[in-house]
Amino acid sequence: MLAQWRNLGLMAALLLAGGLAGLLPLALQPARAALEAETDLWYIARVDGQTVGSWRHQEQQGKEGWTVRQTLDLRVRRYGAVVSLSQEYSDTETAEGKVTGFSLKQVHNGRPFLHLKGKPNADDQTLFQVDDLLGRPGRQLPWSVEVSGLRARERLPASGTGPFRMLAHEPLVNYVVGLEGQMTQDTLDIGGTKVPCQKVTWQPRILQSGGPSLAPTRWWIDSSGRVIRRQFELDGMGLVTLDLSTREGVADTAKAGPMRDLGDSSMISLDRPIPNSRLARAVVFRLRWKEATGEPLELASDERQQTQPTADGAIEVLVRKGQKPRRVVGAPDAGREFLGTSKFIDTDHPKIRELAQRAGGYEDDCWTAALRLERYVSRSLKPDAAAALVPASEFASTWRGDCRHAALTLAALCRASNMPARTAVGLLYVEKGGRPALGFHMWTEVFIDGQWIGLDGTLGQGGIGAGHVKVSDHSWDKVESLAPLLPVQRLVGR
């Protein structure tokens, strides 16, 4: 599919950030003259009107081309815990804008989370060698000589009015993606003044089959060619707005007062509570966007959950309480990726295999073994919303984490017990302060007798209930980032 995107010109793109599983936008600066004079740009990052950090774009010319660096720094309060996140993505590129190397660093609460470096394969120009500087195995990344760099994409809007297409490297999923952009006229309210702008909406698309859908990002460009605002979606926080500022302006906003808890703002309010929600056999949810977006509401459909659109643009979701697996003779096998080891589900680690045996995962009856593993994870979990997402074996040394850690570790223990497993992301019914709502949640699904059955290592209730609304699932096979969490972040808080 890469060939379909070649020789189609350059286009500004979306750069998606990890850490909490987040999205990092590219710094777009369409006017060439302005960019040459202003290569150190600062933006204030806000969520729901609250300052949460900054974003910076830098360009530096060297003997062999350009080095472009983009840095996101955030500090937020989420579910009672203060979390600091930092990502630095840089590339080197020729004067013509072709990528000759890249680097990605992510830090969570001062601790390195990810550090990748990519360079061309000397023997094959269709591959990039990606090394993991934190000691994990590297890999060969499918590539194209037509992949454009950050600086080249900065200048795209000056070339015309679009639509545009291009190839770019997407660090969140660590793939080459196709990007499409549309330019329209819009107006922004800046300090009470109406400012006419060109609005650019970019939609990234993963070219490999089976990849997650990626949310669009948007830029507003004023008449002088400056990008004065950008917006993107960040996992667990919703819409993030970047406003053009200065180094001094960013420093001043960093002195702001105490932070609101963004975890609360990410909840989806419901108009009524569910009586005895844990015992309910089935619940029908009716969901709609807070504001009309034109985007479809994408939820999973399977034996436990069915969706149906309504005439007024909402979607009705029938969710049933999870059941134990039926006995099926001659059931098909799950794919090999659901038994394998990966960065976060490191099934082959000796600690995981030891814990699986200790927790009862080697029980002859698979369902009994799965329930014992679920109960073991739930009883061991020590809730900590500030904990960085790490491999299951590392998490099991402290057991400090949240639903993501519990789901990944339960999946690892199931696989170590020879039961195929994956994770599911979605929404969970809760009552916070007496108010009913749906909030982000992650759980595990185990494959028994040809059926995917839900388990919840956070709640430990012997399966999942009618309050578990599923958005998507993933094996985490060959995944180095938090990309499998992206589908649900498009719903949270919206």
Side-chain angles (χ1 to χ4, degrees):
M1 292 185 67
L2 291 179
Q4 300 177 11
W5 293 83
R6 292 178 179 169
N7 303 318
L8 293 175
L10 301 179
M11 166 187 143
L14 173 68
L15 176 63
L16 299 173
L20 278 176
L23 303 176
L24 174 64
L26 291 171
L28 171 67
Q29 188 71 17
R32 181 178 297 271
L35 268 174
E36 296 295 347
E38 189 178 19
T39 56
D40 191 359
L41 307 176
W42 291 81
Y43 287 76
I44 297 171
R46 295 186 175 93
V47 174
D48 195 23
Q50 174 178 270
T51 299
V52 295
S54 65
W55 186 81
R56 186 182 186 186
H57 172 90
Q58 300 166 278
E59 295 181 11
Q60 184 176 4
Q61 188 173 18
K63 293 182 179 179
E64 299 181 358
W66 290 83
T67 298
V68 184
R69 180 173 292 104
Q70 298 177 338
T71 307
L72 176 71
D73 285 304
L74 299 179
R75 187 170 182 270
V76 301
R77 183 178 298 277
R78 187 169 180 264
Y79 301 116
V82 176
V83 179
S84 62
L85 306 168
S86 177
Q87 171 167 297
E88 179 185 290
Y89 180 77
S90 64
D91 76 9
T92 54
E93 55 191 272
T94 65
E96 293 74 31
K98 303 309 176 184
V99 176
T100 58
F102 67 82
S103 173
L104 172 63
K105 300 178 184 178
Q106 294 177 359
V107 178
H108 187 134
N109 284 348
R111 178 178 179 177
F113 172 78
L114 188 67
H115 192 179
L116 304 178
K117 279 201 172 184
K119 61 183 179 181
N121 184 307
D123 301 320
D124 188 345
Q125 65 178 1
T126 66
L127 295 173
F128 245 51
Q129 172 63 39
V130 180
D131 296 320
D132 190 323
L133 301 189
L134 297 183
R136 304 181 185 98
R139 71 183 182 97
Q140 298 288 331
L141 175 67
W143 199 259
S144 168
V145 295
E146 298 300 323
V147 173
S148 297
L150 301 178
R151 182 175 182 273
R153 299 200 295 268
E154 295 289 326
R155 288 144 177 78
L156 179 67
S159 67
T161 59
F164 307 103
R165 288 184 178 180
M166 68 171 293
L167 291 177
H169 174 242
E170 177 44 71
L172 177 62
V173 290
N174 199 19
Y175 283 126
V176 171
V177 300
L179 291 153
E180 296 182 357
Q182 298 289 336
M183 185 179 291
T184 57
Q185 299 298 315
D186 201 2
T187 302
L188 280 183
D189 188 336
I190 306 294
T193 301
K194 300 295 184 181
V195 179
C197 299
Q198 289 181 316
K199 179 182 177 181
V200 186
T201 302
W202 308 111
Q203 179 63 60
R205 303 184 190 281
I206 297 177
L207 305 182
Q208 284 77 6
S209 62
S213 60
L214 303 178
T217 188
R218 301 169 182 87
W219 301 314
W220 285 263
I221 307 167
D222 69 9
S223 59
S224 67
R226 302 179 307 160
V227 178
I228 58 177
R229 176 171 292 176
R230 330 179 141 70
Q231 288 183 338
F232 63 98
E233 294 173 13
L234 186 60
D235 177 53
M237 287 194 280
L239 195 65
V240 178
T241 299
L242 301 179
D243 287 316
L244 182 63
S245 185
T246 62
R247 180 195 295 265
E248 294 75 19
V250 167
D252 288 341
T253 57
K255 303 173 184 177
M259 298 175 287
R260 298 193 308 274
D261 195 313
L262 296 176
D264 293 339
S265 64
S266 71
M267 305 295 285
I268 300 173
S269 298
L270 299 177
D271 63 352
R272 71 195 70 175
I274 302 174
N276 299 318
S277 60
R278 292 184 180 181
L279 302 178
R281 291 189 297 175
V283 176
V284 176
F285 296 93
R286 185 180 178 90
L287 304 174
R288 68 172 70 250
W289 298 117
K290 287 181 180 178
E291 299 179 4
T293 65
E295 301 176 49
L297 275 164
E298 297 179 351
L299 302 174
S301 291
D302 52 31
E303 289 188 6
R304 192 185 68 89
Q305 176 175 303
Q306 288 85 47
T307 63
Q308 179 177 344
T310 63
D312 60 355
I315 185 170
E316 287 189 350
V317 191
L318 170 62
V319 187
R320 297 180 178 87
K321 180 180 176 64
Q323 302 295 321
K324 67 179 183 180
R326 305 180 304 275
R327 295 293 183 182
V328 178
V329 178
D333 295 330
R336 295 177 60 184
E337 66 271 22
F338 300 109
L339 277 169
T341 191
S342 60
K343 175 180 176 179
F344 293 104
I345 305 178
D346 51 345
T347 308
D348 60 357
H349 195 283
K351 186 174 186 66
I352 292 297
R353 296 199 176 278
E354 175 193 349
L355 290 177
Q357 183 176 16
R358 182 194 308 172
Y362 292 177
E363 168 72 36
D364 289 341
D365 180 76
C366 289
W367 180 236
T368 300
L371 291 178
R372 287 181 176 178
L373 295 176
E374 179 197 51
R375 184 165 57 250
Y376 180 79
V377 171
S378 176
R379 290 178 176 178
S380 301
L381 179 64
K382 301 173 183 176
D384 184 354
L389 199 61
V390 295
S393 62
E394 188 173 344
F395 161 69
S397 65
T398 66
W399 292 100
R400 301 193 66 86
D402 54 32
C403 63
R404 301 168 302 163
H405 304 80
L408 290 166
T409 302
L410 180 52
L413 293 175
C414 287
R415 293 183 186 184
S417 305
N418 203 34
M419 292 182 287
R422 65 190 184 189
T423 64
V425 292
L427 306 169
L428 177 67
Y429 174 80
V430 295
E431 292 185 16
K432 191 173 180 63
R435 295 176 297 176
L438 293 172
F440 168 81
H441 195 53
M442 182 166 164
W443 60 94
T444 306
E445 293 180 337
V446 62
F447 191 78
I448 300 175
D449 284 342
Q451 306 149 70
W452 287 107
I453 307 297
L455 298 168
D456 194 327
T458 304
L459 302 179
Q461 297 174 350
I464 59 175
H468 287 72
V469 182
K470 181 178 173 180
V471 174
S472 67
D473 54 65
H474 207 284
S475 70
W476 293 76
D477 183 46
K478 300 177 182 178
V479 171
E480 301 159 337
S481 66
L482 306 184
L485 306 181
L486 290 177
V488 73
Q489 79 89 25
R490 302 185 68 178
L491 305 179
V492 173
R494 299 181 62 197

